[in-house]
Amino acid sequence: MILVLLLAACSDHRAAFEIEGSAQHSLTLIRVQTFPWEKTARYSLVAARLPECQRRHDLGAGGADSRVEVYSPGNDAWILRQGKRMYVVETRTCEGFARLEAEPEGGTGALQGSFQMRGGQFVFVSTPKAAEGAPPETPAGR
């Protein structure tokens, strides 16, 4: 009986960022937490551009509630930022994956959104697109 309770405690959450609105071209983040009271989880990423390629990459352990931001520098490359850790992955062949020691010289590209826990669910939250022609926001008091 105790074994059943321990197995039930493990949580496996998945959320997908559908690139250009297609489930065929996506980044899916998998978050596995062994026990609900643990403050860390194991993360892995599945890069897919079906039917050409699909590959799973290990991100290692991270904070159980940490956000993973997704940036688009272009050319089917994607930069993921989890706290101070950064990774680059590509979806042309789905083979390219590396941990970055510093932000790329050309920058990270546009923020697409972030994987995060919301209301007990693991989801991808897209970044709202700026309204066309709207002036840039300025800090209050300027």
Side-chain angles (χ1 to χ4, degrees):
M1 181 65 171
I2 292 174
L3 181 60
V4 172
L5 292 174
L6 288 177
L7 289 175
C10 181
S11 67
D12 180 337
H13 293 108
R14 298 159 191 258
F17 163 47
E18 294 182 351
I19 300 165
E20 298 173 357
S22 171
Q24 303 296 310
H25 190 193
S26 63
L27 298 176
T28 301
L29 191 65
I30 302 167
R31 176 190 171 277
V32 177
Q33 190 175 11
T34 307
F35 300 106
W37 58 83
E38 288 185 328
K39 296 184 189 238
T40 62
R42 300 257 341 144
Y43 292 87
S44 57
L45 177 76
V46 176
R49 190 174 55 80
L50 301 173
E52 287 80 14
C53 67
Q54 181 173 356
R55 180 146 183 155
R56 185 173 177 156
H57 305 283
D58 184 35
L59 300 178
D65 293 328
S66 64
R67 290 181 183 211
V68 178
E69 298 170 330
V70 178
Y71 296 87
S72 173
N75 294 327
D76 287 330
W78 308 94
I79 295 177
L80 286 81
R81 182 188 312 253
Q82 181 182 33
K84 293 182 181 181
R85 298 185 309 171
M86 294 178 66
Y87 304 90
V88 63
V89 64
E90 56 82 20
T91 55
R92 284 185 310 272
T93 66
C94 303
E95 296 289 325
F97 176 79
R99 183 167 179 177
L100 300 173
E101 297 302 320
E103 187 170 312
E105 285 185 28
T108 58
L111 177 64
Q112 302 299 299
S114 63
F115 294 98
Q116 57 187 274
M117 291 298 291
R118 268 208 179 161
Q121 299 293 316
F122 192 56
V123 296
F124 182 79
V125 179
S126 295
T127 300
K129 303 293 182 210
E132 282 187 43
E137 292 183 31
T138 56
R142 288 193 181 183

